[in-house]
Every structure is written in C-alpha cells, then in structure tokens.
Amino acid sequence: MTDALKRLSDEGVAIWLDDLSRKRITSGNLAELIDQQHVVGVTTNPSIFQKAISAGDGYRQQVHDLATRKVTVDEAIRMITTADVRDAADILRPVFDATGGQDGRVSIEVDPRLAHNTEATIAEAKQLAWLVDRPNTLIKIPATKAGLPAITEVIGLGISVNVTLIFSLERYREVMDAYLAGLEKARAAGLDLSLIRSVASFFVSRVDTEIDKRLEKIGTDEAKALKGRAALANARLAYQAYEEVFGTERWAALDKAGAHKQRPLWASTGVKDPAYKDTLYVDELVAPGTVNTMPEATLQATAAHGEITGDTVRGTYAGAQADLDALAALGISYDDVVQLLEDEGVEKFEAAWNDLLKSTEAELARLAPSEG
C-alpha cells in the first residue's frame, strides 16, 4: 500500500467515493474509508441505488414497513434513498465541519425521468433538500438544456447542487454560467452565499469508450495512436475553462460577497478498457481545487499503485487541444460524440431508475403483510 491517496489529497484533489449502500453505512465500511483512505465525500446515482437495493442488504425492515403503509413505489424509493443519504451525511458531518463545508458532502439525484422538464426538476430538488434535511447534501441536476435554468433557480434558493452528466466543453461553460447566475439571484435575495456549494461533474471514461470505438473503425496507425487520449484532453480543457471563468470580474464580485467556486469533479473515472492503466483517470487528472469521485475498485487501485507526481493538468492545454484537433481531422465529430454521450447518459439513468422501480415494487409485494 502506497501513500498515493494522501499525495492526491495533498495536491488539492478531494477524494469522493462513487458508491453508497445501507450495508456500507451499517457495517462501518464508509467510516473506515473516511478514516483510512482519505475519502471526504460520496456520490450516488440511480444505477448505484438500483444495485444496492436489488442486493437487498439491510432494506428488509424498511421495505416491510413501507409496504404495510401501502405507499406508492415512487414514495418508497424516495424514503429508502433519502434515508441512506441522510445516514451517510451524518457519518461525513465531521469532515464537513472540519473543511468549512467544502467536503463531507453526499449527493442525491433528482428523478432522471425529469431531465428534460425544468419546473419538475426544480420542484424535485426542493423536495429532496427538504427530505434529506442535512446541510452537507448536494442535489444532483443533469446538465441538459432543461437542467440549466433549474440549476440557476435551485442555487438561487440557497440549495447546494452537483451538476451531473457534463460531457462537452460548451455545456460546461453554460453550467458555470448557470451557477454564477444562481449565485447572483441568491445575493439579490439576501442569502448567505458562503453556505452555497456546487460541483460540476465532468464525465471522463465514456468519452474514450466512444471515441476509441470510432478510431478503431478508422483503423489507421494515426487513428490508433490517438486511442486513450480524448477523455484526458477533454477534461484538461475543461479545467482551462474553469480557470478562465473563475478569473473574471463577474466572479470576483461574487467572491467578494462570500461565494465559493464551483469545483470541477471528475466523474466516470473507472477505466473501461483493460489495455489502459486502471488509475489512468486519477494519475493524469491531478489539479488543485478538483474532486475525483471513484468507484471503490479505482480507489483501491490508486491506493495500491497510483502514480501521483504533482499537477498533471495545468500546462497541458496546447497538447490537449492538438489531440482534439487531430480527431476532428480524422472526421470524428466532437459535437456528435458529446451529444450522443449526454443522450445515452440520461437514457442509462432512466433505465436504471425503471429497474429500481420494478425491483422495489417486487420487494414491496413480497414483504407486504398478509391481509386479514
């Protein structure tokens, strides 16, 4: 075991775990990861909850009680998931207090079926914040076109947000703009900006998965030489955009009013291609003021053999742009790739949510008390 996770943390990268289950909470595993593996936050999504609840560990009594009350399956899911997030938030509360609210955060996602409905997303975000009722919660809102005004509105209400499913540099800039607009609304409403936090989840590995597939199809040596480079290039240019936006006069005015920067969060950092080093999207995306949310396998791989050699983002922008330009020269459309990935991301989360509905409905039926 190396001290790679400590070095990563010392470089200004917050290590968050991309997983949550009741068993992880009740077994003491989450507390152990915080204590021993430098974990300072947790992210969830519909796929994570679907796997946890389908496994059944620790949910039997609550599902039985919900079935006894004859709640709808939608309400049951909300009660189950918010209970896990609330408990995880309590475990992370000392980290939240020690970091002045920067970390110790747990994210919970709005219903992905609302991804293209602004008003419903706003209403759901307010409801989730009320249900969890912990200051160290982040409400996850997808960075769809309909999600952008919802981000502004929710931030404007003083609710902290994790913006998810960001794939494109253009959309990322729109997300940062939506965040600043939300802070401006909150300031106009007289809210304390220092209590509002946000991260922008920029997805990494899926970009390589899609672009590598297209490079393989082209099949030339030039194309194959670009495999495994697009995701890092995209993320590094996102950090360049972050530096630009949070270096403006508009930001300076909000900073003066007590606001915090919206940190870039590297999401989807588990390596999909076994040909690549399993810590690729950790080792090569080290930059101050970022978050890396890792599945446990990636966390443990980093602990075992991660190579943290300092900042691997700043100073790489020209090379990153050259890689994206080389892809364009081969006829690979960046805009087409990132739109496809956003659409697929929403669809995958919707599918996971529907699976969650089905499995929870079956459990409610199985554990319902017999009539009579």
Side-chain angles (χ1 to χ4, degrees):
M1 200 65 80
T2 71
D3 269 341
L5 292 172
K6 182 182 187 305
R7 288 200 300 278
L8 187 62
S9 183
D10 289 345
E11 288 290 341
V13 179
I15 299 164
W16 290 8
L17 177 71
D18 192 25
D19 189 55
L20 185 65
S21 67
R22 191 155 298 175
K23 186 177 182 182
R24 199 182 279 286
I25 292 165
T26 57
S27 68
N29 172 260
L30 177 58
E32 190 176 282
L33 291 173
I34 294 163
D35 186 48
Q36 298 176 14
Q37 304 277 294
H38 304 278
V39 169
V40 293
V42 170
T43 49
T44 67
N45 62 44
S47 302
I48 286 168
F49 277 129
Q50 193 271 328
K51 284 175 194 157
I53 294 169
S54 296
D57 289 334
Y59 296 97
R60 183 184 175 90
Q61 185 60 54
Q62 189 181 12
V63 173
H64 170 76
D65 291 347
L66 291 165
T68 304
R69 288 174 49 215
K70 295 184 166 59
V71 304
T72 65
V73 65
D74 285 271
E75 186 184 348
I77 287 169
R78 276 296 168 236
M79 293 300 103
I80 293 165
T81 57
T82 54
D84 280 359
V85 168
R86 195 160 44 245
D87 288 345
D90 288 344
I91 293 168
L92 278 153
R93 184 60 190 260
V95 176
F96 174 81
D97 292 337
T99 60
Q102 170 98 318
D103 287 304
R105 297 270 174 177
V106 187
S107 298
I108 184 168
E109 189 136 7
V110 297
D111 185 333
R113 296 172 297 178
L114 309 177
H116 302 296
N117 184 327
T118 303
E119 289 304 313
T121 295
I122 294 165
E124 170 94 341
K126 287 158 69 177
Q127 172 75 356
L128 282 174
W130 177 82
L131 266 176
V132 176
D133 192 27
R134 294 294 184 273
N136 51 330
T137 310
L138 291 168
I139 307 302
K140 286 178 87 172
I141 297 176
T144 55
K145 277 291 185 187
L148 295 170
I151 293 158
T152 296
E153 188 65 29
V154 172
I155 290 288
L157 294 169
I159 297 170
S160 294
V161 172
N162 175 344
V163 184
T164 188
L165 289 176
I166 308 171
F167 295 95
S168 86
L169 295 166
E170 181 185 2
R171 183 57 53 82
Y172 178 42
R173 286 182 181 274
E174 291 173 336
V175 164
M176 288 187 283
D177 181 69
Y179 174 62
L180 297 184
L183 288 174
E184 286 159 353
K185 281 189 83 155
R187 182 179 60 186
L191 299 182
D192 182 351
L193 299 191
S194 71
L195 299 178
I196 303 170
R197 297 283 183 163
S198 184
V199 294
S201 296
F202 200 86
F203 278 55
V204 184
S205 66
R206 294 186 196 183
V207 174
D208 272 343
T209 302
E210 181 58 33
I211 288 182
D212 283 0
K213 194 164 59 179
R214 298 183 186 206
L215 289 167
E216 197 63 47
K217 200 171 177 184
I218 293 168
T220 63
D221 289 344
E222 184 187 9
K224 287 178 180 176
L226 284 167
K227 285 180 69 177
R229 285 160 61 174
L232 291 176
N234 200 36
R236 286 165 170 170
L237 291 172
Y239 193 84
Q240 181 185 36
Y242 157 77
E243 288 189 308
E244 287 173 9
V245 170
F246 289 99
T248 60
E249 287 184 16
R250 182 187 184 191
W251 165 248
L254 289 163
D255 181 47
K256 198 174 176 184
H260 299 282
K261 291 177 182 177
Q262 180 186 55
R263 288 184 292 171
L265 178 151
W266 310 128
S268 181
T269 55
V271 171
K272 307 284 195 289
D273 189 334
Y276 302 150
K277 191 185 175 194
D278 53 3
T279 59
L280 176 68
Y281 304 125
V282 179
D283 299 349
E284 299 298 331
L285 289 175
V286 178
T290 59
V291 179
N292 195 312
T293 184
M294 310 176 202
E296 188 170 16
T298 305
L299 179 78
Q300 299 303 350
T302 302
H305 51 255
E307 296 177 54
I308 309 304
T309 56
D311 190 329
T312 50
V313 173
R314 291 182 296 185
T316 66
Y317 306 145
Q321 188 59 58
D323 283 345
L324 293 192
D325 291 345
L327 292 168
L330 288 174
I332 293 175
S333 167
Y334 177 86
D335 290 344
D336 178 64
V337 168
V338 293
Q339 189 58 57
L340 173 73
L341 290 172
E342 181 186 305
D343 294 343
E344 281 183 353
V346 173
E347 283 166 17
K348 282 175 182 171
F349 280 174
E350 269 193 49
W353 194 264
N354 287 329
D355 288 344
L356 179 55
L357 286 167
K358 285 177 199 160
S359 53
T360 304
E361 198 164 34
E363 281 295 283
L364 285 167
R366 186 175 74 82
L367 296 171
S370 54
E371 297 292 332

